[in-house]
Every structure is written in structure tokens, then in C-alpha cells.
């Protein structure tokens, strides 16, 4: 029997602690804690083990200022967060791409026949099951959905460390992608921003209590 790393009470306490923080204090996240949060993104699971992402810790004030006019949901976080992370999703994830091929190599597949059989299965998956193989935008959306697994990992890890966070989708995607391309943060031909994450310590306690639907209205057993 595997020994749990944390008690259910510890996990529930971290879940109750988390709230969407808009304004952060001046306190900075320790390097070791930040590394652990970023590791939780790096080690996150992904569909077919593809890891179709990059995580950019944005520190350059010039780039932050350039993004700000297009990020209505990040106005105060860009200015006050201890750290600000951009989650970048890959567009180059078709079954016959080098990205997919290399993901199999990373997992230890060396026999070319086995690799080609696996790629044929992925071709069926993308063409028949998902119907995304012929659309670069839909392939990017598939990658972008996976970045949210890493996003959830980072937010939960931060909460367990007593660190606040806020996921941010409130921005004009085309404009932010253009800015990031201009500053060579991403390659617009092969990548696009998926979501942002601010991290730090809340400047004050929330003014409103967190509300959720009743548990019985969202969790079902059949």
C-alpha cells in the first residue's frame, strides 16, 4: 500500500485557501518554492505524452508594459505579482510532425516499426476521433487544452505552499501573440499563448466569501 504524501485535511485546507487574487503584496516568492511550482508544470501529464507547451516566466518590464493594453484581465497582476507566467501552446502537433515523433523517442521507443505503428494510431486519433488533423487552429486548441492541466498543477502546488495565484484569460489573443512575437518570446508560426498565471502573496484577504454550487449538484454517481 502506498503511503500518502499529504493527508486529506492538508489537501482540503489548500483547496479552501486558494482564491483569485487580483492585487499582490510586495513579498517575493522564494526561489525554491517557485522552482517547485514550475516543476509541477514541467512534470504535468499530457495527451499521448506530447508535452505541447512552454512556460515563460515573464520578468521583462518592457514586455509587460507592451502586453498590458491588451490584457484587461491582468492589469493589477502585471504590476504587483511576484511572478507572472505565460503558458505557450504548440501548433506543430500533427501526428506526422517531428514533435510527435520526438515524444516517442523521449519515452524510450527505439524500434522504427513500433514508432510507425504508434504514429498510425495517433493519425486515427486525430483524424477519426477528434477530426482536428487538417486544421492548425484546432491542433493548437488541442494543445491549449492540455496547458490547463499544467495550469491546475501550478495553482494547486502554489496553494500547498501558501502562495496565491490567479489564472488569466482576459486578454486579446491576437494582439498579445503579436507582441510576444515582436519580442521573440514565441514563434507565431508554431506557437500561440494559451493562458496566463500570476503568482504571489495576497495584499489583503478577499472581500467576498468564495461561493460554489452545492456539491450534490456537480458530483454524481451512477
Amino acid at each position: 500500500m502506498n503511503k500518502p504524501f499529504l493527508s486529506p485535511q492538508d489537501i482540503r485546507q489548500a483547496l479552501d485557501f486558494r482564491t483569485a487574487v487580483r492585487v499582490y503584496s510586495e513579498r517575493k516568492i522564494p526561489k525554491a518554492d517557485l522552482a517547485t511550482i514550475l516543476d509541477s508544470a514541467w512534470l504535468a501529464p499530457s495527451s499521448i505524452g506530447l508535452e505541447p507547451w512552454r512556460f515563460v516566466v515573464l520578468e521583462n518590464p518592457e514586455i509587460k508594459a507592451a502586453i498590458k493594453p491588451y490584457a484587461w484581465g491582468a492589469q493589477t497582476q502585471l504590476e504587483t505579482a511576484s511572478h507572472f507566467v505565460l503558458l505557450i501552446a504548440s501548433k506543430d502537433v500533427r501526428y506526422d510532425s517531428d514533435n510527435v515523433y520526438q515524444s516517442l523517442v523521449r519515452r524510450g521507443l527505439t524500434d522504427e516499426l513500433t514508432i510507425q505503428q504508434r504514429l498510425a494510431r495517433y493519425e486515427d486519433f486525430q483524424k477519426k476521433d477528434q477530426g482536428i488533423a487538417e486544421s492548425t487552429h484546432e491542433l493548437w486548441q488541442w494543445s491549449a487544452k492540455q496547458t490547463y492541466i499544467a495550469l491546475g498543477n501550478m495553482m494547486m502546488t502554489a496553494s500547498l505552499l501558501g502562495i496565491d495565484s490567479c489564472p488569466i484569460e482576459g486578454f486579446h489573443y491576437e494582439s498579445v501573440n503579436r507582441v510576444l512575437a515582436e519580442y521573440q518570446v514565441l514563434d507565431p508560426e508554431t506557437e500561440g499563448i494559451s493562458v496566463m498565471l500570476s503568482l504571489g502573496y495576497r495584499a489583503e484577504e478577499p472581500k467576498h466569501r468564495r461561493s460554489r454550487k452545492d456539491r450534490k449538484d456537480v458530483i454524481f454517481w451512477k
Side-chain angles (χ1 to χ4, degrees), residues 179-194:
V179 170
L180 295 178
E182 289 173 356
Y183 282 92
Q184 299 182 328
V185 176
L186 58 73
D187 178 353
E189 295 299 317
T190 60
E191 299 175 308
I193 186 167
S194 171

Side-chain angles (χ1 to χ4, degrees), residues 59 77 88 156 189 209:
E59 297 182 307
Q77 293 98 322
I88 310 297
M156 187 64 197
E189 295 299 317
R209 69 178 183 86

Side-chain angles (χ1 to χ4, degrees), residues 100-120:
V100 175
Y101 188 97
Q102 292 303 324
S103 75
L104 296 174
V105 173
R106 282 198 305 275
R107 283 179 283 160
L109 275 70
T110 57
D111 177 65
E112 188 63 25
L113 177 60
T114 302
I115 291 176
Q116 292 305 319
Q117 290 173 338
R118 189 71 62 89
L119 293 176

Side-chain angles (χ1 to χ4, degrees), residues 81-128:
S82 171
H83 292 84
F84 202 87
V85 183
L86 309 176
L87 285 79
I88 310 297
S90 177
K91 299 176 184 178
D92 186 22
V93 292
R94 213 172 89 130
Y95 63 89
D96 54 358
S97 68
D98 187 60
N99 276 346
V100 175
Y101 188 97
Q102 292 303 324
S103 75
L104 296 174
V105 173
R106 282 198 305 275
R107 283 179 283 160
L109 275 70
T110 57
D111 177 65
E112 188 63 25
L113 177 60
T114 302
I115 291 176
Q116 292 305 319
Q117 290 173 338
R118 189 71 62 89
L119 293 176
R121 188 184 309 168
Y122 295 164
E123 180 179 4
D124 280 348
F125 170 63
Q126 290 187 346
K127 284 185 173 180
K128 297 177 181 179

